[in-house]
Amino acid sequence: MSGNLTFTMIKPDAFRAGNSGAIIKIIIEAGYGIRAMKLTRLSERKAGQFYNIHKERPFYKDLCAYMSSGPIIPIVLVKENAVEDFRKLIGATDPTKAEKGTIRQMFAKSIEANAIHGSDSDDNALIEGNFFFSELEKFYQD
Ligand code: CMP
């Protein structure tokens, strides 16, 4: 059975462009509750840890530099079928392939500066949420 939690992160391009509020409004209107959220900034080393799964990919170094280039907003979200529905809401990684009305189609600038992250599995949602929020389980009790 799929879980009710996912993790997202508003990326530096979207924050810089002043689109954080518009994006969070879309997420809330799509039925997601916010369990944890903060404004922060990753060091290049921390970005490397977060994207460790991509360390062999040719875009890894650029991705880490980009993800540490400005503030980000990591958010833990709850809703039924959270991971799958959220990936539909944000659209394809490459914004030129993202469906009309998806967050990336509306706000992303490129495949790297693609406005927002969404976990790809329930397991990763927990790992990624815990990466940014210590004692995250306390948030679930509300
Ligand atoms: P995200 O969903 O956060 O997960 C991995 C990120 O790597 C992805 O969004 C993009 O920002 C980036 N990415 C994936 N594929 C490429 C690519 N071909 N070139 C550059 N960046 C990429």
Side-chain angles (χ1 to χ4, degrees):
M1 207 181 83
S2 52
N4 69 347
L5 189 140
T6 193
F7 172 80
T8 185
M9 176 164 61
I10 295 179
K11 298 189 179 185
D13 59 289
F15 181 86
R16 211 173 276 131
N19 291 327
S20 307
I23 291 173
I24 292 167
K25 184 167 186 279
I26 291 169
I27 293 169
I28 290 169
E29 285 175 354
Y32 289 86
I34 294 177
R35 275 294 166 273
M37 177 166 82
K38 66 183 171 187
L39 176 65
T40 188
R41 184 168 175 167
L42 289 168
S43 64
E44 204 159 333
R45 191 178 66 83
K46 273 286 210 189
Q49 285 169 8
F50 184 84
Y51 282 114
N52 189 46
I53 193 167
H54 296 304
K55 69 174 183 296
E56 305 302 337
R57 309 285 286 273
F59 57 81
Y60 177 69
K61 206 170 176 302
D62 277 356
L63 177 63
C64 296
Y66 162 67
M67 285 303 297
S68 56
S69 69
I72 56 161
I73 304 180
I75 313 173
V76 176
L77 295 167
V78 262
K79 190 181 89 60
E80 255 177 46
N81 202 36
V83 166
E84 191 183 338
D85 287 358
F86 195 74
R87 286 175 74 83
K88 280 189 201 136
L89 184 68
I90 66 177
T93 305
D94 179 351
T96 65
K97 297 187 180 131
E99 270 184 49
K100 200 166 177 339
T102 59
I103 292 174
R104 282 171 170 159
Q105 183 267 324
M106 289 189 277
F107 299 106
K109 302 200 177 335
S110 67
I111 192 166
E112 178 181 79
N114 64 354
I116 191 160
H117 170 78
S119 301
D120 63 2
S121 68
D122 293 341
D123 286 350
N124 282 339
L126 264 185
I127 292 167
E128 293 170 359
N130 279 305
F131 183 90
F132 284 98
F133 300 98
S134 58
E135 302 184 317
L136 185 56
E137 69 281 359
K138 286 190 185 161
F139 290 92
Y140 304 155
Q141 290 161 10
D142 299 351

